[in-house]
């Protein structure tokens, strides 16, 4: 829904058509893209909204369409300390149409895009739009914030917008409960370790970007074979069948070797002991990665108040002019924001925004 209001503000000329900057407070970067949506659909708003609404990951795919459409050129992601999808720093990359399949992809080499199968080499991108991403931890020292932000956000009052999700201040990972309820806590823990410990996920300069892509493909193929439909094992007793080969390939993806051996042994034991329904296998293939990559931190009121206070401080430093648009997402329905804290957080956040922008805020429920 936030994307609709950004488009609406552009149509109404509250926001400039291009060279717009976004300040994004969120526990998640929301910088993915729909995997199988052709580039022309990005310029058919209703088709784009329908795609995002129907996708389980649509909530994380709404910002980069604004880049590909030519509106957004710079993003400032303000993240809580427990969010690690991107490290603090500045990233420059391109978003464009892949000449290989017609989908919209990026040339960023970050693991975030390897995970989502969205990487494309620069020479294979057309209709290219460049974007700069600044990642700042909210609890950073104010000098660091000023160094990255400078005074550049608002060239005029139509050049920037503010987006805030309440899960910035207290964050749940709904997939943990989904897997706990459907498969049990032991399975959830095992699947989390399987997804978070492969060596291509480690911050290591010894593994090239190309090698990370190759290892990720082996990982995905191994899980698809292990959790896919049962296949007849090879009748040659001296040759391992496809599932056994997949277990061996999976084992080799971990370092040290003992880690892979232990995880695969636990996985085999679990699969032999438990009855896993086909829909559970499908859930593992589609959402297992979320157990390892999505942040989670149920904050105390004290922690939330500290983050809210810092939010106000940073917004006062960010720009001499008010944003043309402020969107606030509760993220309660998808369980990213704890329901018990949502109303309290919303009230406190509105108080912060009023202290920064005064009576300039015009509230409208989405």
């Amino acid at each position: 829904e936030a994307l609709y209001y950004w488009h609406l503000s552009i149509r109404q000329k509250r926001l400039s058509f291009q060279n717009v900057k976004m300040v994004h407070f969120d526990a998640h970067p929301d910088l993915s893209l729909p995997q199988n949506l052709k580039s022309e659909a990005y310029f058919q708003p209703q088709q784009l909204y329908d795609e995002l609404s129907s996708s389980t990951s649509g909530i994380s795919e709404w910002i980069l369409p604004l880049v590909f459409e030519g509106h957004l050129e710079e993003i400032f992601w303000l993240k809580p300390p427990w969010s690690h999808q991107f490290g603090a720093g500045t990233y420059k990359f391109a978003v464009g149409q892949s000449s290989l399949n017609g989908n919209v992809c990026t040339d960023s080499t970050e693991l975030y895009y390897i995970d989502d199968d969205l990487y494309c080499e620069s020479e294979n991108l057309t209709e290219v739009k460049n974007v700069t991403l600044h990642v700042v931890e909210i609890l950073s020292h104010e000098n660091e914030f000023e160094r990255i932000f400078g005074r550049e956000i608002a060239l005029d009052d139509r050049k920037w917008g503010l987006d805030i999700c309440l899960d910035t201040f207290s964050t749940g990972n709904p997939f943990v409960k989904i897997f706990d309820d459907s498969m049990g806590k032991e399975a959830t823990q095992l699947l989390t370790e399987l997804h978070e410990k492969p060596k291509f996920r480690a911050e290591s300069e010894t593994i090239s970007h190309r090698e990370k892509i190759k290892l990720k493909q082996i990982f995905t193929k191994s899980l698809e074979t292990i959790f896919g439909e049962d296949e007849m094992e090879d009748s040659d007793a001296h040759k391992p069948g496809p599932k056994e080969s997949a277990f061996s390939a999976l084992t080799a993806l971990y370092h040290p070797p003992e880690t892979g051996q232990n995880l695969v042994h636990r996985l085999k034991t679990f699969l032999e002991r438990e009855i896993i329904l086909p829909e559970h296998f499908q859930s593992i293939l589609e959402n297992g990665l979320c157990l390892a990559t999505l942040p989670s931190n149920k904050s105390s009121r004290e922690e939330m108040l500290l983050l809210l206070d810092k939010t106000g401080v940073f917004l006062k430093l960010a720009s001499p002019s008010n944003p043309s648009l402020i969107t606030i997402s509760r993220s309660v329905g998808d369980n990213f924001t704890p329901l018990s804290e949502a109303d309290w957080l919303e009230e406190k956040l509105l108080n912060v925004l009023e202290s920064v922008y005064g009576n300039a805020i015009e509230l409208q429920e989405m």
Side-chain angles (χ1 to χ4, degrees):
E1 291 184 349
L3 178 59
Y4 167 81
Y5 283 94
W6 281 72
H7 280 157
L8 179 63
S9 293
I10 292 168
R11 291 198 302 271
Q12 293 177 339
K13 298 184 178 181
R14 295 186 181 188
L15 276 174
S16 175
F17 185 84
Q18 59 187 6
N19 306 127
V20 174
K21 305 173 193 291
M22 175 189 287
V23 179
H24 177 59
F25 284 81
D26 203 305
H28 312 88
D30 296 344
L31 295 172
S32 189
L33 287 159
Q35 289 190 0
N36 298 307
L37 191 66
K38 302 305 179 185
S39 61
E40 54 268 21
Y42 285 74
F43 301 94
Q44 301 294 327
Q46 193 55 56
Q47 184 178 348
L48 178 59
Y49 303 150
D50 290 345
E51 173 68 23
L52 295 180
S53 296
S54 63
S55 169
T56 56
S57 56
I59 193 174
S60 67
E61 300 169 347
W62 70 275
I63 294 177
L64 287 193
L66 288 165
V67 174
F68 183 64
E69 292 161 0
H71 306 307
L72 203 61
E73 68 169 8
E74 197 164 9
I75 303 162
F76 298 82
W77 178 34
L78 279 295
K79 64 172 189 169
W82 52 84
S83 294
H84 304 292
Q85 298 94 321
F86 287 84
T90 296
Y91 304 79
K92 295 179 182 290
F93 55 94
V95 177
Q97 177 183 339
S98 169
S99 60
L100 303 178
N101 59 21
N103 294 340
V104 178
C105 301
T106 173
D107 66 356
S108 171
T109 58
E110 290 301 305
L111 186 59
Y112 183 84
Y113 294 110
I114 297 177
D115 280 338
D116 286 353
D117 295 322
L118 290 171
Y119 172 76
C120 182
E121 294 184 348
S122 302
E123 55 265 33
N124 293 323
L125 288 178
T126 62
E127 300 182 41
V128 170
K129 306 295 190 302
N130 295 309
V131 64
T132 300
L133 167 66
H134 306 279
V135 181
V136 188
E137 187 178 308
I138 298 174
L139 297 184
S140 299
H141 192 278
E142 285 146 37
N143 289 345
E144 174 68 6
F145 183 86
E146 284 187 301
R147 182 185 70 79
I148 294 176
F149 270 52
R151 305 298 283 185
E152 301 176 357
I153 289 184
L155 302 177
D156 61 52
D157 61 3
R158 293 172 53 238
K159 289 292 187 182
W160 77 286
L162 172 62
D163 177 70
I164 304 177
C165 182
L166 295 186
D167 71 13
T168 306
F169 310 103
S170 187
T171 315
N173 182 346
F175 292 96
V176 173
K177 187 176 189 311
I178 290 171
F179 278 97
D180 279 351
D181 291 347
S182 62
M183 298 181 62
K185 293 184 181 296
E186 179 187 355
T188 302
Q189 181 59 37
L190 175 57
L191 291 169
T192 300
E193 293 180 47
L194 278 170
H195 283 86
E196 72 182 4
K197 292 184 176 181
K199 55 190 175 184
F200 63 84
R201 304 202 66 81
E203 294 185 8
S204 171
E205 296 180 358
T206 61
I207 302 178
S208 68
H209 176 252
R210 192 176 297 275
E211 183 69 8
K212 286 183 178 181
I213 292 176
K214 180 181 177 181
L215 293 175
K216 170 61 166 53
Q217 291 170 342
I218 293 172
F219 178 80
T220 301
K221 181 63 176 176
S222 298
L223 292 189
E224 288 174 346
T225 301
I226 292 168
F227 295 119
E229 294 295 327
D230 285 335
E231 303 176 39
M232 292 295 293
E233 294 292 334
D234 198 297
S235 58
D236 185 349
H238 300 289
K239 183 179 179 181
K243 285 190 184 290
E244 194 57 40
S245 296
F247 281 122
S248 297
L250 190 63
T251 302
L253 293 177
Y254 298 85
H255 184 80
E258 293 79 9
T259 299
Q261 293 163 6
N262 174 265
L263 284 171
V264 170
H265 173 72
R266 288 165 56 195
L267 178 59
K268 285 182 174 181
T269 301
F270 181 82
L271 292 175
E272 290 168 359
R273 188 181 73 237
E274 302 290 337
I275 298 175
I276 308 298
L277 300 176
E279 56 263 34
H280 294 160
F281 286 150
Q282 189 62 32
S283 182
I284 291 168
L285 295 176
E286 292 180 355
N287 301 314
L289 181 64
C290 297
L291 294 171
T293 58
L294 293 186
S296 180
N297 186 82
K298 189 172 183 180
S299 306
S300 66
R301 288 282 176 93
E302 182 180 9
E303 289 174 309
M304 288 186 277
L305 286 170
L306 176 60
L307 288 166
L308 285 160
D309 179 66
K310 272 289 193 176
T311 298
V313 170
F314 287 170
L315 289 176
K316 288 175 182 176
L317 291 171
S319 172
S321 67
N322 296 341
S324 298
L325 169 70
I326 301 175
T327 48
I328 299 175
S329 301
R330 288 168 57 90
S331 287
V332 171
D334 46 27
N335 295 315
F336 286 109
T337 302
L339 177 61
S340 60
E341 301 290 0
D343 290 342
W344 180 87
L345 269 172
E346 183 177 320
E347 179 185 354
K348 296 299 182 184
L349 176 59
L350 290 175
N351 290 341
V352 168
L353 294 175
E354 185 177 356
S355 73
V356 176
Y357 301 121
N359 297 326
I361 298 176
E362 179 181 325
L363 292 178
Q364 180 179 351
E365 288 196 18
M366 297 166 60

